[in-house]
Amino acid sequence: MTSDEQHMRTLLHAAVPVLPEPRDRMAAVAARVRRTRMAGASAAAALAVTAGLLVGVPAVTSGGDGGTGMPVAAALTVTASTAGCDTSKASTEPAALDEVAHRLRVTGEADYADSFSAVEITDRVRVFRKANDAFDRWVTGEFTDACVEILDVPYSGKQIQAILDRVEADRGYWESQGVVLNTVSVDADGTIKVGVDGEKVDAVQEKMNDRYDQPVQVRGQGAVPPAIGAPG
């Protein structure tokens, strides 16, 4: 490497610092693989950008492009919170929040699968669950020193995953009906969203209502270009 090249490299490092790894990276990657399905791909949206990190099944994307989603938890109801939310002692350090979120997710999926849905990290931890008094008692009793908010959602992660899997399995059926599902995603409230060609939205919505017993919302969405390096 010449001295000029070395100087240029030094300048680039100073101007563009190395980006840190996202918190709970493996959980985020695993979650997005499970939940965000693009046409011709098994995963697409990153789950942690600016507004928070969502780990679990719901709250993948609320935007119209099937891209990086922003949490929609603000529209949901906080039904309970831990004692730590009422004091200034609850840590907002990333490592502490990650630990709380990890414990919530592991126990939620293992012991409360019929209720647990997802976890969000902002300056506190928010856990999404289908109403369950036993789960709420565990959360409020276990995390007294942390700020954890409990939010109502109508479906557990297990229920949402089941309908997502069914919609994915139905791609061939929908193609036989002349409908291509360009995107498949889910919001924090458990609403499954599919993107189809804009002129077909109304007709497809009626057919979705007849076929599925859980809300599936149809929206106009063009085909998603394949990722760079993906097989054509």
Side-chain angles (χ1 to χ4, degrees):
M1 181 181 295
T2 67
S3 59
D4 288 343
E5 289 172 334
Q6 181 64 47
H7 181 63
M8 181 62 71
R9 183 176 181 180
T10 301
L11 289 175
L12 285 172
H13 275 282
V16 186
V18 177
L19 293 175
E21 287 290 309
R23 289 181 279 147
D24 204 4
R25 181 177 181 274
M26 292 305 295
V29 171
R32 79 176 180 188
V33 169
R34 288 199 306 269
R35 304 190 311 264
T36 300
R37 313 292 171 81
M38 294 303 191
S42 62
L47 300 183
V49 175
T50 307
L53 170 66
L54 279 147
V55 179
V57 171
V60 176
T61 171
S62 56
D65 61 354
T68 300
M70 300 298 284
V72 296
L76 302 177
T77 302
V78 176
T79 59
S81 59
T82 58
C85 295
D86 298 326
T87 70
S88 59
K89 296 181 180 179
S91 176
T92 58
E93 290 297 318
L97 296 173
D98 286 346
E99 174 63 21
V100 171
H102 176 73
R103 290 168 58 196
L104 282 164
R105 177 169 54 82
V106 170
T107 301
E109 291 179 346
D111 298 338
Y112 301 96
D114 291 332
S115 176
F116 176 79
S117 191
V119 175
E120 178 188 23
I121 300 173
T122 57
D123 62 338
R124 61 194 60 199
V125 179
R126 312 183 96 188
V127 59
F128 303 85
R129 59 90 179 102
K130 185 177 179 181
N132 183 321
D133 290 342
F135 179 72
D136 293 359
R137 286 194 297 271
W138 173 73
V139 172
T140 54
E142 183 73 14
F143 300 99
T144 55
D145 294 333
C147 180
V148 179
E149 294 179 335
I150 301 171
L151 290 87
D152 267 337
V153 290
Y155 305 103
S156 68
K158 185 167 68 172
Q159 289 175 303
I160 295 170
Q161 188 63 56
I163 191 67
L164 276 175
D165 290 344
R166 186 178 172 194
V167 172
E168 282 293 323
D170 280 351
R171 282 188 181 275
Y173 166 79
W174 289 114
E175 288 176 5
S176 74
Q177 303 295 307
V179 177
V180 176
L181 306 184
N182 292 321
T183 60
V184 178
S185 61
V186 57
D187 276 351
D189 63 1
T191 300
I192 309 298
K193 290 186 175 183
V194 299
V196 302
D197 291 342
E199 67 273 11
K200 297 181 179 180
V201 169
D202 291 340
V204 174
Q205 182 68 73
E206 185 174 347
K207 292 180 180 179
M208 290 277 179
N209 294 343
D210 291 339
R211 191 167 180 83
Y212 304 116
D213 53 7
Q214 183 172 327
V216 177
Q217 185 181 107
V218 181
R219 57 185 178 175
Q221 170 66 62
V224 177
I228 297 174

